[in-house]
Amino acid sequence: MITHVNSMQRIAIVGAGYVGLSTAVCFASRGYQVIATTHNEENVRRINAGEAPFHEPGLNDALRRCVQSKLLRAESDREKAVLQTDMSFITVATPDQPDGTIDRRYVIRASEDIGRALREKNAYHLVVVKSTVTPGTTREVLKLALERTSHLTAGRDFGLCMNPEFLRQGSAMHDTLHPDRVVIGEYDRRSGKALGDVLNAFYEGAVPLLTMGLESAEMVKYASNAFLTTKVSYANEMANICEGVPGVDVSHVMAGVGLDKRINPRFLNAGAGFGGSCLPKDLKALCKFGEAYGYRAPLLRAVLAVNDGQARHIARLALTTIGKPNGKKVALLGLAFKPDTDDLREAPSLKIAKQLLAAGARVCAFDPVVKVITREGFEALEHADSISTCLAGAHCCVVVTEWEQFKALTPDDFITQMAQPAVIDARRIFDPPQFRDRLPFTAIGLGDGSLASER
Ligand code: UGA
């Protein structure tokens, strides 16, 4: 374990979701003294018992080690945590509102709680906003909340930075420990230097650190997610064109495109569309934000429109495959918005299931981690406890999430168990020739035009 000589050794993390808990565990695993705070008492108990409250590979083991070594503990009292530490990261959620703008209530409340603690504190404390907030929020809203409740002045009495987070669910630990870059938005030089020193020590100087103004740092986060979603919608649009062209397969096309170093192969996988708690929300918030400044953002709106169409397209393919839907069973493999998470937020599976149910099909789903969907509108969705029960008697199977265990399935698994062995591989996990040889006319790979003339 590395023990740092930096003066900011004790860290409070306000908000123990994916970002907060991963950050807390990573700091603690490198020798920092960390207090993670959450208002959820059950989660406080679970974290203190060394148990992560959500599914994230590697997190549980690392968390248990940190709790055992007494470098990490959870606490529901934010003020107490701030008083016992040198810096606080705000990592609470900024969910979307019905109009697409972000709900800033939680970041404001976190700033107020920190501010109240700072009022009692006699030492310099650095406040770092990690939550995703639109440009101007840290300076115009959170700084004011901190100053109002602390009766102190930012820059003079306490530090303030914005430090956007780029980790992905499913690889949160790896991404936190090995980011491509670290962006620091500084309110003043002292704050930026203090955070820079902490992060440079944490990464042992191995990660590029970019320092800029608060607003630019806030914008980097939105601009990055906007670019990633643009790549995904671009790949999906190419898939939809390729699907109609005999002999053209989007996976070959994207492999050829991605090797251009100016483009790179990542985020070019055509599929069921991007979901999750971040990309759709951030894109909508950026559109709204641009609109407030008089810009309509036509490119970003098109990216969203292509994404919305993708789930509909897959549901349509399934309905075409089964013919009259009445009573016929469609098997959905995968519910989580991506593998290695139990998160269902904005998951394409929900949109696909909803459409199939509305058309009158029976829909049965299997996911290795998400065992049941209890939300309204999905009462008719059936849940299978294994791949086999999911496939049994089905007239069509749609691969919605590319979980590792689905990749081992062979054409025989479908032929022997389904009423009609029709497979729509919406995540392109299967080898098209192998499947097409055994399931002629009914193995459809998204973006694969090999069946174009038959359809
Ligand atoms: C995303 C970004 O990748 C992170 O950098 C960012 O920190 C995070 O949002 C955030 O703003 O907090 P995440 O939502 O966890 O991370 O997951 P991704 O791996 O980006 O996947 C998002 C969605 O895009 C998934 O539904 C995935 O299936 C889809 N996707 C991704 C594709 O359809 N094709 C691809 O090639 C890549």
Side-chain angles (χ1 to χ4, degrees):
M1 190 175 290
I2 307 154
T3 308
H4 295 287
V5 279
N6 200 289
S7 59
M8 297 220 166
Q9 282 288 322
R10 300 171 308 161
I11 298 173
I13 307 278
V14 180
Y18 287 96
V19 171
L21 196 53
S22 307
T23 308
V25 167
C26 288
F27 270 117
S29 63
R30 293 205 173 166
Y32 292 81
Q33 195 71 49
V34 184
I35 306 174
T37 73
T38 166
H39 287 325
N40 185 324
E41 292 289 354
E42 171 60 10
N43 286 354
V44 168
R45 190 198 61 73
R46 288 178 73 175
I47 294 168
N48 284 332
E51 186 194 321
F54 47 81
H55 180 87
E56 181 61 44
L59 186 62
N60 242 335
D61 289 346
L63 171 65
R64 199 175 318 115
R65 283 196 297 273
C66 293
V67 170
Q68 277 164 1
S69 63
K70 300 205 178 323
L71 285 166
L72 172 63
R73 72 167 205 273
E75 166 83 72
S76 57
D77 187 334
R78 289 172 173 173
E79 297 182 33
K80 220 158 112 188
V82 173
L83 285 171
Q84 292 172 14
T85 53
D86 311 305
M87 63 189 293
S88 303
F89 284 92
I90 299 179
T91 55
V92 294
T94 49
D96 52 352
Q97 309 195 93
D99 70 351
T101 58
I102 56 166
D103 184 343
R104 304 198 287 208
R105 273 177 302 174
Y106 306 116
V107 266
I108 293 174
R109 215 167 294 154
S111 305
E112 289 170 346
D113 289 342
I114 294 171
R116 268 188 286 276
L118 295 186
R119 196 173 174 186
E120 308 296 316
K121 203 176 166 182
N122 288 321
Y124 183 83
H125 192 95
L126 177 63
V127 182
V128 183
V129 179
K130 233 184 197 318
S131 305
T132 300
V133 289
T134 43
T137 306
T138 302
R139 187 187 305 275
E140 290 156 24
V141 182
L142 307 184
K143 176 180 91 79
L144 300 187
L146 284 159
E147 290 184 333
R148 190 177 59 246
T149 44
S150 66
H151 297 195
L152 300 173
T153 303
R156 190 189 68 193
D157 307 317
F158 66 90
L160 181 61
C161 284
M162 202 279 152
N163 172 222
E165 180 53 60
F166 304 110
L167 68 80
R168 292 161 298 170
Q169 286 177 227
S171 50
M173 297 291 290
H174 173 272
D175 291 355
T176 307
L177 293 171
H178 308 283
D180 291 344
R181 79 300 203 188
V182 167
V183 172
I184 296 176
E186 59 180 20
Y187 175 70
D188 62 303
R189 199 62 281 273
R190 182 180 176 194
S191 306
K193 176 152 184 341
L195 183 59
D197 286 348
V198 170
L199 296 179
N200 243 328
F202 182 78
Y203 291 115
E204 298 177 317
V207 174
L209 229 106
L210 255 82
T211 303
M212 57 189 75
L214 292 175
E215 290 75 10
S216 295
E218 291 166 323
M219 190 65 183
V220 169
K221 169 71 185 203
Y222 282 97
S224 296
N225 278 356
F227 190 71
L228 294 174
T229 53
T230 304
K231 282 187 93 171
V232 175
S233 275
Y234 156 81
N236 284 335
E237 183 136 300
M238 289 305 121
N240 296 343
I241 296 173
C242 292
E243 220 164 277
V245 189
V248 180
D249 181 342
V250 75
S251 63
H252 298 163
V253 175
M254 288 301 110
V257 169
L259 283 180
D260 185 325
K261 287 198 175 65
R262 293 168 301 176
I263 299 174
N264 101 35
R266 282 173 289 178
F267 273 74
L268 287 182
N269 296 321
F274 55 83
S277 63
C278 304
L279 298 185
K281 169 193 85 129
D282 290 353
L283 206 54
K284 285 179 208 154
L286 187 53
C287 287
K288 270 288 173 192
F289 184 72
E291 209 175 290
Y293 283 86
Y295 185 68
R296 248 201 111 257
L299 175 65
L300 303 184
R301 282 170 204 277
V303 168
L304 277 170
V306 171
N307 198 51
D308 284 343
Q310 209 58 15
R312 280 198 301 276
H313 173 60
I314 290 161
R316 255 195 320 269
L317 280 177
L319 290 170
T320 311
T321 307
I322 60 174
K324 265 200 169 28
N326 296 3
K328 285 189 187 150
K329 175 177 171 184
V330 178
L332 295 189
L333 290 184
L335 286 169
F337 85 95
K338 63 183 274 190
D340 293 323
T341 177
D342 54 2
D343 203 329
L344 277 173
R345 286 176 285 182
E346 297 280 334
S349 62
L350 301 182
K351 301 180 198 166
I352 297 169
K354 201 168 223 170
Q355 201 146 337
L356 293 173
L357 289 169
R362 262 181 71 202
V363 184
C364 181
F366 170 75
D367 188 281
V369 174
V370 183
K371 291 301 169 203
V372 66
I373 295 181
T374 46
R375 62 179 75 183
E376 213 183 311
F378 292 91
E379 294 78 7
L381 180 67
E382 298 166 34
H383 298 277
D385 56 8
S386 67
I387 299 176
S388 316
T389 25
C390 185
L391 294 180
H395 292 80
C396 176
C397 169
V398 186
V399 179
V400 190
T401 315
E402 64 276 34
W403 283 97
E404 211 46 46
Q405 44 269 72
F406 300 157
K407 294 182 184 169
L409 291 170
T410 64
D412 282 329
D413 292 315
F414 298 96
I415 293 166
T416 54
Q417 303 185 76
M418 296 174 71
Q420 169 185 284
V423 179
I424 297 172
D425 181 5
R427 291 293 183 179
R428 300 304 305 269
I429 60 171
F430 300 131
D431 174 43
Q434 192 203 357
F435 269 68
R436 243 179 281 120
D437 286 352
R438 302 292 316 283
L439 312 174
F441 313 119
T442 56
I444 301 168
L446 188 97
D448 180 0
S450 54
L451 299 182
S453 49
E454 278 107 17
R455 284 211 291 273

